[in-house]
């Protein structure tokens, strides 16, 4: 049986999980149904196809190998000998509200003794649509890897084949002495980078003012919401003001938070929450290796700026500064510090790190790439797709964004008790786009 040791960041995600803070990604796809039985047919297809996808057969287990001291306290992916797809693809009763069901399902941690993923098929009450909620543990996959796994059980399409990972030579207990000078230089460089990141994190926490609305006691409840906007509208703003599509999408979040805080009575004056913007370190068109290849940028969201174009300029400036420094430096690269912690340290310190997330950033704003080609399941076209990010301990809200076939989909996950008005924030996102377009029109 072939085992693949978890990379440090994967191991961190595996160990910081708790019952009230499950560390799984999610995506809610809405499909047009050709018949009232389309949802049941989709569930059968997903179960049948999952058995043929090796990445979906992988479970995670603890490893304690006395012959490999550096793996002590670690974990590994390995094929599950008793894998049963029907345990992972679940057909639910018809519902009138896909997001209400998705919120309840996102609360539930994945079973850690079996392959950590699930697909929940939700037929629509009217028979004209159905939805599928995919859940993948963050230790199994990051956003791009999860996309490739989900696409593998959709209808066949012309996707580029993942590039094979070059085979690594077997490692002995001790390093090759001929490589020691380079290893020493690399270690010293890594230590210097770790100190630089740690210093940047400390500086980023100084003077930051968030809002109580973005913090939460761990209730374990979840609520989801989504909103769709036209990508053409985003391009109108980008072409008028400059910057990137992602700059505009982040600025939309800042403006929506401002409107939401003011309307709910919390107030936005002086609020500039720290947003963590994950950055993929994978090569384009490559889904290997498994697990996470992530860094990130950290920026202050200019929620307190009353000028919508001023907010966009502030986001653009902050993102340009982060890009100039690169994804391997600065406070946003805090995920890379996982590489400098031994496996046993992740196991022992995981709960502490999970509680410390609130000290590092206030809100997660992440982008999940999707193919431009139309996806189908059982011949039914995918019309909407809302990505969901994990919600860290002490945080009340996470925002994920996907662009699909000319539309931008914002997926919102919140603590259900701390944010009972999540739909108001979703509407604020759409309103902010209209405000930006008006501000760009002479």
């Amino acid at each position: 049986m072939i085992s693949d040791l978890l990379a440090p960041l994967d191991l961190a995600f595996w160990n910081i999980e708790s019952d009230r803070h499950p560390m799984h990604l999610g995506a809610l796809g809405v499909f047009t149904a050709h018949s009232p039985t389309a949802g049941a047919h989709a569930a059968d297809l997903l179960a049948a196809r999952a058995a043929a996808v090796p990445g979906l057969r992988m479970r995670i287990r603890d490893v304690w190998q006395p012959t490999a001291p550096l793996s002590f306290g670690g974990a590994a992916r390995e094929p599950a000998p008793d894998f049963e797809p029907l345990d992972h693809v679940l057909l639910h009763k018809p519902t009138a509200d896909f997001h209400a069901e998705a919120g309840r399902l996102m609360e539930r941690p994945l079973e850690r003794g079996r392959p950590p993923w699930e697909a929940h098929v939700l037929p629509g009450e009217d028979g004209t649509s159905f939805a599928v909620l995919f859940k993948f543990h963050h230790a199994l996959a990051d956003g791009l890897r999860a996309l490739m796994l989900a696409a593998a059980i959709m209808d066949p399409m012309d996707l580029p084949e993942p590039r094979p990972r070059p085979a690594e030579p077997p490692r002995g207990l001790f390093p090759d002495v001929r490589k020691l000078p380079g290893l020493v230089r690399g270690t010293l460089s890594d230590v210097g980078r770790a100190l630089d990141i740690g210093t940047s994190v400390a500086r980023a926490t100084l003077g930051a003012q968030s809002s109580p609305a973005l913090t939460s006691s761990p209730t374990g409840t979840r609520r989801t919401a989504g909103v769709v906007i036209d990508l053409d509208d985003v391009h109108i703003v980008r072409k008028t003001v400059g910057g990137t599509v992602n700059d505009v999408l982040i600025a939309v979040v800042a403006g929506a938070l401002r409107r939401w805080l003011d309307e709910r009575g919390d107030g936005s004056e002086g609020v500039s929450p720290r947003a963590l913007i994950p950055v993929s370190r994978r090569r384009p068109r490559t889904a290997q290796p498994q697990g996470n290849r992530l860094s990130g940028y950290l920026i202050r969201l200019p929620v307190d700026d009353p000028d919508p174009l001023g907010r966009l300029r502030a986001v653009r400036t902050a993102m340009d500064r982060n890009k100039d420094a690169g994804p391997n430096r600065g406070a946003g690269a805090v995920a890379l510090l996982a590489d400098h912690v031994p496996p046993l340290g992740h196991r022992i310190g995981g709960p502490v790190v999970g509680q410390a997330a609130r000290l590092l950033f206030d809100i997660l704003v992440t982008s999940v790439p999707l193919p431009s080609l139309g996806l189908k399941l059982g011949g039914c076209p995918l019309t909407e797709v809302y990505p969901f990010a994990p919600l860290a301990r002490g945080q009340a809200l996470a925002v994920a964004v996907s662009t699909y076939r000319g539309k931008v989909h914002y997926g919102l996950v919140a603590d259900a008790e701390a944010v009972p008005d999540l739909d108001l924030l979703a509407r604020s996102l759409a309103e902010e786009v209209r405000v930006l377009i008006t501000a760009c029109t002479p």
Side-chain angles (χ1 to χ4, degrees), residues 128-281:
T128 63
S129 64
F130 67 90
V132 179
L133 174 68
F134 288 101
K135 294 167 58 177
F136 294 95
H137 199 287
H138 220 327
L140 179 71
D142 57 16
L144 181 55
R145 175 72 178 167
L147 165 66
M148 299 301 293
L149 290 173
I153 51 178
M154 306 286 277
D155 290 356
M157 60 182 295
D158 186 20
L159 281 175
E161 289 292 328
R163 297 176 183 175
R165 178 170 40 169
E168 295 183 1
R171 292 180 293 178
L173 187 59
F174 300 102
D176 187 336
V177 293
R178 293 170 297 181
K179 298 180 180 180
L180 281 177
L183 291 173
V184 171
R185 286 195 299 271
T187 300
L188 291 176
S189 175
D190 288 347
V191 170
R193 184 173 65 174
L195 290 173
D196 176 70
I197 294 171
T199 302
S200 298
V201 169
R203 286 199 300 263
T205 62
L206 297 176
Q209 183 172 341
S210 184
S211 166
L214 298 178
T215 61
S216 168
S217 298
T219 70
T221 60
R222 293 292 180 269
R223 185 185 303 273
T224 73
V227 65
V228 182
I229 62 177
D230 286 327
L231 183 58
D232 287 343
D233 290 342
V234 176
H235 281 302
I236 289 173
V237 177
R238 179 189 63 81
K239 291 176 180 178
T240 302
V241 181
T244 67
V245 166
N246 202 41
D247 293 342
V248 178
L249 297 179
I250 296 171
V252 167
V253 173
L257 287 174
R258 177 183 176 83
R259 181 171 290 102
W260 175 64
L261 291 173
D262 287 342
E263 289 190 20
R264 76 196 317 251
D266 290 321
S268 59
E269 184 177 354
V271 175
S272 57
R274 299 156 300 174
L276 180 64
I277 316 293
V279 177
S280 175
R281 295 192 295 142

Side-chain angles (χ1 to χ4, degrees), residues 73-91:
R77 300 180 194 85
E78 66 175 17
D82 55 350
F83 174 67
E84 176 50 66
L86 292 177
D87 292 338
H88 297 265
V89 179
L90 306 173
L91 177 64

Side-chain angles (χ1 to χ4, degrees), residues 91-115:
L91 177 64
H92 294 257
K93 295 179 180 179
T95 179
D97 189 337
F98 294 140
H99 275 289
E101 289 298 317
R104 286 190 283 270
L105 292 169
M106 287 294 289
E107 293 179 5
R108 305 176 187 174
L110 294 164
E111 289 192 29
R112 293 170 71 93
R114 33 182 232 186

Side-chain angles (χ1 to χ4, degrees), residues 312-339:
L312 177 51
R313 285 191 292 268
V315 167
R316 180 184 176 186
T317 298
M319 289 298 289
D320 286 346
R321 186 182 305 115
N322 275 293
K323 292 172 187 175
D324 289 342
N328 295 330
R329 306 190 74 87
V334 66
L336 300 183
L337 294 179
D339 294 340

Side-chain angles (χ1 to χ4, degrees), residues 23 25 46 60 63 96 106 129 150-151 170 208 268 277 291 321 330 337 378 392 394 397 424:
M23 291 302 298
L25 310 168
L46 292 174
I60 296 175
V63 292
M106 287 294 289
S129 64
S268 59
I277 316 293
R321 186 182 305 115
L337 294 179
L397 175 68
L424 174 60

